[in-house]
Amino acid sequence: IEMASLREAWLRALAEVTESALSGQQSERVLDLLAERAKEVSGSDLAVVALAGNGALRIQHAFGENADAYEGATASSGPLTLAIETARSTIIEDLEGTDLPSVFRGGYRAMLAMPLLSQGRTLGTLGLLWEEPRTFVSEELQAAEDFADSATLAVLIAEGQRERERLAVLEDRDRIARD
């Protein structure tokens, strides 16, 4: 019953994030909600959404204690990028037992980094971090990975919304220049 409840919680979170994206919410709000709901359902201490660009991942959204310290950070190697390079989740039960570089070494011990991929295109990574080492149960991992796979649609919608917002600003500037 516990796993069924967890899967149901992930589905509710996904429905909320998807509804937010489809309702035309600003892209920033959709991605904030994605990180917030992922943290809440997973029980993690920090959730980050890192988006790909310019050869590195940039943490665009973080939710949890000290989240502001991570927003804007870039990762060109480490667990977040490894998830993209392998197109598979990176599971680290204790960061102290690895030699992977990580922007999260200061206080986080366990990490689950899930790629956000769409038709072979890399969008980014959803990272969940815990302050204590932990063992991941396969059903728990599958539910989180299913959420990340499905949340990719919300990221695509948010990306489209961000582009529309950018184009609207450019159109306004063009109109003002003509006037």
Side-chain angles (χ1 to χ4, degrees), residues 141-165:
L141 286 171
Q142 189 61 56
E145 289 172 337
D146 289 348
F147 173 81
D149 288 343
S150 299
T152 299
L153 174 62
V155 173
L156 284 170
I157 293 168
E159 191 177 76
Q161 179 66 18
R162 182 181 296 139
E163 185 61 20
R164 284 189 295 281
E165 292 165 3

Side-chain angles (χ1 to χ4, degrees), residues 131-145:
E131 293 175 352
E132 297 298 323
R134 73 185 307 254
T135 301
F136 295 93
V137 178
S138 64
E139 293 88 357
E140 170 187 41
L141 286 171
Q142 189 61 56
E145 289 172 337

Side-chain angles (χ1 to χ4, degrees), residues 169-179:
V169 168
L170 292 175
E171 287 172 357
D172 281 347
R173 287 179 183 165
D174 190 42
R175 183 185 48 76
I176 291 168
R178 280 193 314 264
D179 292 346

Side-chain angles (χ1 to χ4, degrees), residues 32 34-37 39-40 44-49 61-65 67 71:
D32 280 343
L34 174 62
E36 184 178 339
R37 292 301 175 260
K39 179 196 175 297
E40 289 171 359
S44 63
D45 297 302
L46 179 69
V48 299
V49 177
H61 304 276
F63 190 79
E65 194 168 323
E71 285 188 0

Side-chain angles (χ1 to χ4, degrees), residues 19-121:
E19 181 180 328
S20 175
L22 291 173
S23 71
Q25 290 277 333
Q26 287 190 329
S27 60
E28 301 301 312
R29 176 64 190 127
V30 173
L31 296 174
D32 280 343
L33 186 62
L34 174 62
E36 184 178 339
R37 292 301 175 260
K39 179 196 175 297
E40 289 171 359
V41 175
S42 69
S44 63
D45 297 302
L46 179 69
V48 299
V49 177
L51 300 180
N54 301 327
L57 287 173
R58 185 169 193 270
I59 298 172
Q60 300 284 357
H61 304 276
F63 190 79
E65 194 168 323
N66 297 322
D68 292 343
Y70 297 101
E71 285 188 0
T74 59
S76 56
S77 63
L80 293 175
T81 58
L82 186 60
I84 287 177
E85 291 166 1
T86 62
R88 299 181 53 167
S89 294
T90 301
I91 302 160
I92 301 175
E93 295 181 342
D94 191 350
L95 275 168
E96 287 189 10
T98 71
D99 60 353
L100 283 171
S102 176
V103 296
F104 305 107
R105 283 226 182 257
Y108 294 100
R109 299 280 302 272
M111 181 175 194
L112 173 59
M114 298 164 286
L116 300 171
L117 303 169
S118 175
Q119 299 176 343
R121 182 172 160 231

